[in-house]
C-alpha cells in the first residue's frame, strides 16, 4: 500500500470526532455548543479531505482506486479491503457533502441531548462512507447494517410523536431483508472461498444458485430502495424523523439499495438479473404510478415528499435493470440528483416546520408574501424534482427513460406517465403552501430564510444547476465503470441476436 | 452577435429577478427599482431584436446558415448532446419575429403593469420566457428543443399564475403546465424513438440520414410500425400540447388569467406557435410519413373549425381572441400537413403581429374599462378611445383576411395550398378552413360591435373613467399595426412566392411528390375569392346581429338552447377531463393510500405480524398460570408425545 490511506481517513475521521464529543463535559449549553462545533468541523474537514479523491480520481479506468488492504481475519480469508470506482465515488462525495449541511441544519432545532445527536450523525457518516468503500463482503455487511443503529436512534429519540412506531418499523423492515442477505453472503463465501468483492465479481456462480442468491440480496435491497410493496416504512420514518434525519435517509440511505444492485446483483448474478428483469420492471412501474397517485392525496408535506422519493427510486430500479449504458448511468445520475433534490426538499419542509411546528399542508398558504426567497428556492427544487430540463432531475430521468425505451417501449411509456404525475403533485403542493392570499393569522409574522439557512441551501442550489447544465462533469466519472459493468450483458445480447440471425437463415 | 441575440434576454431576466428581491418599503426607492428592472429588460430585448435582425441579414440575405457549439451538455454511451445555436432561415425568421414582438410587448408592459406591485418580477418572467423561446427556435438537437419547450412551459406557468392571490389563476397555471406535460410525454417518447432509429438526436444528423430510413420499421408497443410515422406522431403529440390543438387545448383559454401582455406573448409570437415551428423544423422527417402528415392536417383542420365555433359564443374579450388563436393555429398546422410548411410559417409570422395587436388592444380596452373583461358590460366606447378602436379594426381586418392586410396573404395561401393538395384530407382541411374563415370574420366583428358600439352597458362610474391608454402602450401597438398591415405584402414573395426556394435554402425539405405549395398559385379563381366572400358574409352577419337587430342573438340562443349550451361549455372538454382524470386520480390516490398502503400492505405486513405476535405472546403468557397441576399436565402430554414418536419410529 504505497499511497495515502484516504478512504480509511475519511471513513473514520467522523468516528474520531464522535470520540471527541464524548469527552465534552460541562453544563448543557456549553456541551451543546461545543458538540455542534466539533461535529461541524469534523464533517467539514472530512468533506475537504474527500475533495482529494475528487481531484485525484482517474476516470479512465474501471479498476478500484485508492485501494487499501489489510489482513483482518487471515485464517478466514477476510480482510479489511477498501476501494472505490466510478460508481461508488460520487456517492462518497454526496455523503461527505451532505453531512455538514445536516449538522448545520440541526443547529437550532434540536432541543435536547445535543451531544448524543451529533455523535449519532458522525457515527452515521462513518457507516455510510464505509458502506460505499467496502470491498469485502463482511466489511460491507457491517457498515450496511451498522447504519441502522444511529438512524434508529435519530428517529426514535429525536423524532415526532409516533417516533417509536416509526423507528421499529424502519428497523424491522430493513433487518428482515438483511438477514436473508447475510445467509446469501455466507453461501457465496463458502462457494467461492473468498469474501473479497472484486474476486467475487470475477467468480461465476452456477445459474441455479444465482437465482436464490439474487432473491436474497433483492430482499434486502428492495426494502432499502424502497420498492413497492415494501415501501411503507419510508413515509412513517420520514414523517417522524427530525429534518436532518429525513435528509440523510432520503439522500443517502435510499441509495444503498440501488448501489447494492449495481455492486452485487448485476456483476455477480448476471443470469439471474436478466431472468428477474420483468419482476423489477413490474414492481418499479407500480411504484412510479401508485406512489405518485398516493403523493397526490397527501395532506402532510413530508409524507408527500417521501412518497415522491419512492416514485423516483422506481426510475432508479428501472434504469438499473435496463442493462443499457443509458439506463444505468441514468439510474446513478437519478440517485445523485435525488440525493441533492430530496435533501433540499426535506430541508425546505424543515424551514417552515421550525417556525410553525406543523407539517400539515393546510397550515400554510400564501407564504410567498412573507418569504419570497424561500418561495424561490422551493420553486427551484420543486422543478428539479419534476425533472425540468436544466436542473439535475432531468438528466437522470431522461437517460433512464431512454434506456428503458431501448429495452422495452411499454416500460418507457408507463414510467413516463410518472413524469406527468410528478408535475401534478409537486405543483399542487407548491400552490397550496406558497401561493394564495396570506390569510392565516399565525403566518402573518413568519420570517424569511435566515443567513444560516441560506448557507445551508446555497451549495445545493449550485449543485442542482450544475448537474442540470453541465452534467458531463459527473457523467465522465462513471462512464468507464458503467461500461465495464454493462459489457457482459451487451455481449450476451449481441450473441443472442447473432444466434437469432443464424437461426433465421 | 448570434449568442447575444439569445442570451441578452436571460441576462436581463436575471438582473430583474435579482431586483425583485430588493422590494424596499420606501416608495421612491421602489419606483427606482421598478424603473431599473424595466430599463434593463427592455434594453436587453431591444438589443436582442436588433441583433437578430443583423442575424437575419447575415443568414437569410447573406445565405450563410451557421451552427454555434457552446459546450457539451449530456454524453452517455453514444448519445452526444451539445448546447448549440443552429441558425438557418427558419430559425432566423422565428428569432426576428419573437424578439421584435417580444420587445414591443415589453415596452407595452411598462404601461399596462404600471399599478402592479411586482413589476421587476413580471419583467423578469417576460424576458425569461423570451430566452427559453429563443433557445427553442435555435436548438440544433431535439433535447435542446425539449429544454426550450419545457422552459416556456415553466414560464407560462409562472406568468399565468402571476397574480397568485387568485385561486383561479393558480389553477389555470397548473392546468397549463400539466396539459403541456401530457404533450411533452409524447415528445419525450418521440425523442427516444428517434435515438433508437438514428443513434443520434442532432437535427443535422437526422436530416442527413432521414431519407435513407424512409422504409425502416421500428418495433414499439408490441408491434412493428413504420419508424418515421411513429416518431412523427409521438413528436406531434408534443406539438399538440404546446399549440393547444383539439384535445390538448383546454389550458389555453384558462391561460387568460394572466395579465394581458402575457396573453399576447404566449399566444402571438411565441409559445403556442412552437408546435408549428417544430413540425416545420422537422419537415425532413414528416415528409417521409404520409400518415403523420394526414394526422397533422386532420388535427389542424378540426381545431380550426372547433375553436372558431366556441369563439362565436364567448363573452370574455380575451377568451374570444384566445379561441381565435387556437383556430388560427389549426390553419398553420394543416398548411404543414399538406407540405406547405413555408405557408404555415408565413401565417405564423403575420399572425404574430396581428394577434399581438388584438391582445394588446384588448388590454387597452380592459384598461380603459377599469379591468372589466366581459363584453356584455362594455359597449358605446368607440368615440372615447378612438385610437384603440382604430387599432382593433386593423387587427380584425388582418385576422379576417381582408386585403391588403397581412392575414389576407397568409391565410389565402394556406387555404389555396390545402385545396391544391388534391387529397381527401386536403379538401377536408380546405372546407373546414373556409367555414372557419366565415366564423372568424363573424366573431371578430361581434367583438368589435359588442365592445365598442351600441348602448353603454357599464355603470356610469366606469364610463366616466374610460380613457385612452398612455403613449407607452399605444406606440407598441402602432408598431404591431404596421406589421399587421404590411407584413403580408412584404413577405409574400420571399416566404411563399417566387423567391421562396432561395429564401428558405435547406431549412425546409419538401419532397418532389408534394406539390401543394407550387400548385397553390394555380388554383381556380373561385378558390381565391371564396375566403373573401365568406369573410364578407361573416362581417355582414355580425352587422345584422349586433348592430341592426341586437335582440336577435339572445333569441337565437334561446331557440337553439342545446347547441348554444354545447358551445358555451366549450364542447364539454373540461367537464369530461375533470371526470376522467382529475377526480379519478384523486380517488385512486386516496384509495391506494388508505386501502393499499394502510389496510393491505401494513395490515397484512408489519402491523399484522406485530399484532399476531402480541396475540400469540398473550396466549403463551396465559399458559404460565402458576398452578403446578397445569405444568404437570403439560409435562405428561410432552412425555406421551415423545414416547409415541419413539415407538412409531421403532416400527
Amino acid at each position: 500500500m504505497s499511497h495515502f490511506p484516504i478512504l480509511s481517513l475519511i471513513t473514520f475521521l467522523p468516528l474520531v470526532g464522535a470520540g471527541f464529543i464524548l469527552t465534552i463535559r460541562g453544563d448543557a449549553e456549553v456541551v451543546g455548543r461545543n458538540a455542534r462545533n466539533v461535529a461541524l468541523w469534523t464533517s467539514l474537514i472530512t468533506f475537504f479531505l474527500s475533495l482529494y479523491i475528487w481531484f485525484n480520481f482517474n476516470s479512465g479506468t474501471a479498476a478500484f482506486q485508492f485501494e487499501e488492504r489489510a489482513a483482518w481475519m487471515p485464517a478466514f480469508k477476510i480482510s479489511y479491503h477498501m476501494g472505490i470506482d466510478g460508481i461508488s465515488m460520487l456517492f462518497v462525495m454526496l455523503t461527505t457533502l451532505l453531512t455538514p449541511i445536516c449538522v448545520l441544519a440541526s443547529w437550532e432545532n434540536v432541543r435536547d441531548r445535543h451531544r448524543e445527536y451529533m455523535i449519532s450523525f458522525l457515527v452515521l457518516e462513518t457507516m455510510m462512507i464505509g458502506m460505499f468503500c467496502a470491498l469485502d463482503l463482511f466489511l460491507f455487511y457491517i457498515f450496511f447494517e451498522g447504519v441502522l443503529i444511529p438512524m434508529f436512534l435519530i428517529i426514535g429519540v429525536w423524532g415526532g410523536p409516533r417516533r417509536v412506531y416509526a423507528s421499529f418499523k424502519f428497523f424491522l423492515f430493513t433487518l428482515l431483508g438483511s438477514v436473508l442477505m447475510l445467509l446469501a453472503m455466507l453461501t457465496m463465501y463458502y462457494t467461492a472461498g473468498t469474501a473479497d468483492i472484486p474476486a467475487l465479481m470475477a467468480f461465476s456462480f452456477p445459474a441455479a444458485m444465482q437465482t436464490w442468491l439474487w432473491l436474497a440480496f433483492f430482499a434486502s435491497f428492495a426494502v432499502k430502495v424502497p420498492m413497492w410493496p415494501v415501501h411503507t416504512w419510508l413515509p412513517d420514518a420520514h414523517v417522524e424523523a427530525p429534518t436532518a434525519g429525513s435528509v440523510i435517509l432520503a439522500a443517502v440511505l435510499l441509495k444503498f439499495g440501488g448501489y447494492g444492485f449495481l455492486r452485487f446483483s448485476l456483476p455477480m448474478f448476471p443470469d439471474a438479473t436478466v431472468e428477474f428483469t420483468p419482476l423489477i420492471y413490474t414492481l418499479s412501474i407500480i411504484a412510479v404510478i401508485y406512489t405518485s397517485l398516493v403523493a397526490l392525496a397527501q395532506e402532510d408535506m413530508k409524507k408527500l415528499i417521501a412518497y415522491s422519493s419512492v416514485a423516483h427510486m422506481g426510475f432508479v430500479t428501472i434504469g438499473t435493470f435496463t442493462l443499457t449504458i443509458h439506463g444505468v448511468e441514468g439510474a446513478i445520475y437519478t440517485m445523485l440528483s435525488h440525493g441533492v433534490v430530496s435533501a433540499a426538499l426535506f430541508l425546505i419542509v424543515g424551514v417552515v416546520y421550525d417556525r410553525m411546528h406543523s407539517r400539515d399542508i393546510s397550515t400554510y398558504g400564501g407564504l410567498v408574501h412573507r418569504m419570497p426567497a424561500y418561495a424561490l428556492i422551493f420553486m427551484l427544487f420543486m422543478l428539479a424534482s419534476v425533472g425540468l430540463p436544466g436542473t439535475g432531475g432531468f438528466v437522470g430521468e431522461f437517460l433512464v427513460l431512454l434506456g428503458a425505451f431501448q429495452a422495452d417501449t411499454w416500460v418507457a411509456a408507463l414510467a413516463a406517465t410518472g413524469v406527468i404525475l410528478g408535475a401534478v403533485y409537486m405543483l399542487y403542493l407548491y400552490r397550496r403552501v406558497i401561493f394564495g392570499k396570506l390569510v392565516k393569522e399565525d403566518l402573518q409574522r413568519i420570517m424569511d430564510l435566515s443567513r444560516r439557512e441560506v448557507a445551508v441551501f446555497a451549495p445545493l442550489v449550485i449543485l442542482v444547476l450544475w448537474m442540470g447544465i453541465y452534467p458531463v462533469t459527473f457523467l465522465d466519472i462513471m462512464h468507464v465503470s458503467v461500461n465495464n459493468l454493462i459489457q457482459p450483458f451487451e455481449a450476451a445480447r449481441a450473441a443472442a441476436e447473432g444466434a437469432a440471425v443464424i437461426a433465421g437463415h | 452577435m448570434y449568442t447575444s441575440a439569445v442570451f441578452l434576454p436571460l441576462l436581463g431576466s436575471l438582473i430583474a429577478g435579482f431586483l425583485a428581491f430588493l422590494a424596499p418599503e420606501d416608495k421612491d426607492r421602489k419606483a427606482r427599482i421598478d424603473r431599473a428592472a424595466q430599463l434593463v429588460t427592455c434594453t436587453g430585448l431591444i438589443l436582442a431584436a436588433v441583433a437578430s435582425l443583423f442575424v437575419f441579414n447575415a443568414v437569410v440575405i447573406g445565405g450563410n446558415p451557421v451552427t454555434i457549439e457552446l459546450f457539451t451538455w449530456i454524453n452517455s454511451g453514444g448519445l452526444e448532446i451539445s448546447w448549440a445555436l443552429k441558425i438557418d432561415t427558419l430559425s432566423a425568421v422565428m428569432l426576428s419575429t419573437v424578439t421584435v414582438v417580444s420587445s414591443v410587448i415589453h415596452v407595452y408592459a411598462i404601461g399596462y403593469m404600471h399599478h402592479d406591485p411586482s413589476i421587476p418580477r413580471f419583467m423578469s418572467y417576460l424576458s425569461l420566457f423570451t430566452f427559453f423561446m429563443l433557445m427553442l427556435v435555435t436548438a440544433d438537437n431535439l433535447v435542446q428543443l425539449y429544454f426550450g419547450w419545457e422552459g416556456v412551459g415553466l414560464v407560462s406557468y409562472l406568468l399565468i399564475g402571476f397574480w397568485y392571490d387568485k385561486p383561479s389563476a393558480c389553477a389555470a397555471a397548473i392546468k397549463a403546465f400539466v396539459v403541456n406535460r401530457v404533450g411533452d410525454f409524447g415528445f419525450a417518447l418521440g425523442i427516444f424513438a428517434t435515438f433508437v432509429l438514428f443513434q443520434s438526436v442532432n437535427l443535422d444528423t437526422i436530416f442527413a440520414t432521414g431519407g435513407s430510413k424512409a422504409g425502416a420499421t421500428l418495433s414499439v408497443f408490441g408491434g412493428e410500425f413504420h419508424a418515421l410515422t411513429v416518431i412523427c406522431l409521438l413528436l406531434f403529440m408534443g406539438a399538440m400540447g404546446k399549440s393547444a390543438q383539439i384535445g390538448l387545448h383546454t389550458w389555453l383559454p384558462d391561460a387568460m388569467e394572466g395579465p394581458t401582455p402575457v396573453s399576447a406573448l404566449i399566444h402571438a409570437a411565441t409559445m403556442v406557435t412552437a408546435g408549428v415551428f417544430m413540425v416545420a423544423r422537422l419537415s425532413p422527417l414528416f415528409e417521409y410519413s404520409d400518415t403523420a402528415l394526414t394526422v397533422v392536417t386532420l388535427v389542424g383542420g378540426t381545431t380550426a373549425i372547433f375553436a372558431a365555433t366556441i369563439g362565436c359564443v364567448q363573452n370574455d374579450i380575451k377568451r374570444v381572441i384566445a379561441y381565435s388563436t387556437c383556430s388560427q393555429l389549426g390553419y398553420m398546422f394543416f398548411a404543414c400537413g399538406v407540405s406547405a410548411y413555408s405557408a404555415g410559417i408565413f401565417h405564423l409570422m403575420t399572425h404574430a403581429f396581428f394577434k399581438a395587436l388584438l391582445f394588446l388592444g384588448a388590454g387597452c380596452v380592459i384598461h380603459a374599462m377599469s379591468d372589466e373583461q366581459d363584453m356584455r358590460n362594455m359597449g358605446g366606447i368607440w368615440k372615447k378611445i378612438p385610437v384603440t378602436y382604430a387599432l382593433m379594426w386593423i387587427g380584425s381586418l388582418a385576422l379576417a383576411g381582408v386585403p391588403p392586410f397581412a392575414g389576407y396573404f397568409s391565410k389565402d395561401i394556406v387555404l389555396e395550398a390545402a385545396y391544391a393538395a388534391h387529397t381527401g384530407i386536403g379538401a377536408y382541411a380546405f372546407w373546414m378552413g373556409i367555414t372557419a374563415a366565415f366564423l372568424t370574420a363573424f366573431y371578430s366583428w361581434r367583438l368589435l360591435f359588442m365592445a365598442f358600439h351600441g348602448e353603454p352597458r357599464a355603470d356610469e362610474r366606469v364610463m366616466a373613467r374610460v380613457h385612452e391608454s398612455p403613449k407607452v402602450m399605444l406606440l407598441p401597438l402602432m408598431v404591431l399595426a404596421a406589421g399587421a398591415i404590411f407584413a403580408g405584402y412584404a413577405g409574400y414573395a420571399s416566404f411563399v412566392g417566387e423567391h421562396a426556394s432561395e429564401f428558405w435554402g435547406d431549412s425546409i425539405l419538401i419532397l418532389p411528390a408534394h406539390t401543394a405549395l407550387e400548385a397553390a398559385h394555380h388554383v381556380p379563381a373561385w378558390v381565391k375569392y371564396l375566403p373573401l366572400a365568406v369573410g364578407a358574409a361573416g362581417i355582414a352577419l355580425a352587422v345584422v346581429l349586433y348592430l341592426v337587430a341586437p335582440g336577435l342573438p339572445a333569441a337565437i340562443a334561446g331557440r337553439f338552447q342545446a347547441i348554444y349550451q354545447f358551445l358555451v361549455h366549450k364542447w364539454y372538454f373540461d367537464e369530461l377531463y375533470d371526470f376522467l382524470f382529475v377526480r379519478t386520480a384523486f380517488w385512486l390516490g386516496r384509495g391506494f393510500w388508505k386501502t393499499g398502503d394502510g389496510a393491505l400492505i401494513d395490515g397484512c405486513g408489519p402491523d399484522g405480524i406485530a399484532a399476531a405476535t402480541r396475540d400469540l405472546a398473550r396466549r403463551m403468557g396465559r399458559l404460565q398460570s402458576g398452578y403446578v397441576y397445569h405444568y404437570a399436565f403439560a409435562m405428561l402430554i410432552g412425555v406421551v408425545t415423545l414416547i409415541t414418536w419413539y415407538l412409531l419410529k421403532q416400527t
Side-chain angles (χ1 to χ4, degrees), chain B residues 264-322:
Chain B
L265 194 57
I266 291 179
H267 292 78
T270 51
M271 186 162 127
V272 292
T273 56
V276 182
F277 166 77
M278 183 226 248
V279 175
R281 171 94 285 175
L282 299 177
S283 59
L285 299 186
F286 278 86
E287 275 297 288
Y288 291 103
S289 170
D290 285 335
T291 317
L293 285 177
T294 306
V295 172
V296 173
T297 318
L298 179 69
V299 169
T302 312
T303 308
I305 185 83
F306 150 79
T309 57
I310 299 176
C312 291
V313 297
Q314 295 297 310
N315 290 317
D316 184 315
I317 185 167
K318 280 167 75 181
R319 277 181 190 248
V320 175
I321 309 176

Side-chain angles (χ1 to χ4, degrees), chain A residues 165 169 232 290 307 329 369, chain B residues 73 76 165 221 597 602 607:
Chain A
Y165 172 78
K169 200 170 174 182
T232 57
Y290 177 107
Y307 274 109
E329 289 193 348
H369 293 274
Chain B
W73 183 13
S76 165
D165 282 353
F221 307 126
D597 269 19
D602 275 355
D607 293 354

Side-chain angles (χ1 to χ4, degrees), chain A residues 402-469:
Chain A
L402 181 62
F405 195 88
Q406 292 165 56
D408 188 330
T409 43
W410 278 113
V411 173
L414 290 171
T417 57
V419 177
I420 303 173
L421 292 171
V424 177
Y425 63 72
M426 284 313 284
L427 292 179
Y428 187 50
L429 167 72
Y430 191 81
R431 172 196 168 178
R432 286 182 288 169
V433 174
I434 299 292
F435 287 153
K437 284 201 176 75
L438 188 71
V439 285
K440 300 204 172 72
E441 200 51 48
D442 45 358
L443 293 178
Q444 298 297 337
R445 309 199 58 77
I446 196 165
M447 296 302 289
D448 206 349
L449 298 181
S450 70
R451 217 165 268 208
R452 177 183 62 83
E453 286 163 335
V454 171
V456 166
F457 284 112
L460 298 175
V461 169
I462 294 170
L463 207 55
V464 78
L465 291 175
W466 181 5
M467 289 182 79
I469 296 168

Side-chain angles (χ1 to χ4, degrees), chain A residues 43 323 387 503:
Chain A
S43 54
L323 307 174

Side-chain angles (χ1 to χ4, degrees), chain B residues 34 41 60 98 155 160 195 201 204-205 220 257 264 271 277 302 338 347 349 383 395 398 419 443 461 495 501 609 618:
Chain B
D34 290 351
T41 47
V60 182
V98 170
V155 194
I160 294 167
F195 182 75
V201 291
D204 291 332
T205 320
V220 283
E257 292 292 341
M271 186 162 127
F277 166 77
T302 312
V338 297
H347 194 50
M349 192 266 293
K383 279 188 188 148
Y419 177 83
Y443 65 65
R461 203 172 45 81
F495 276 80
S501 61
I609 293 172
R618 203 170 44 245

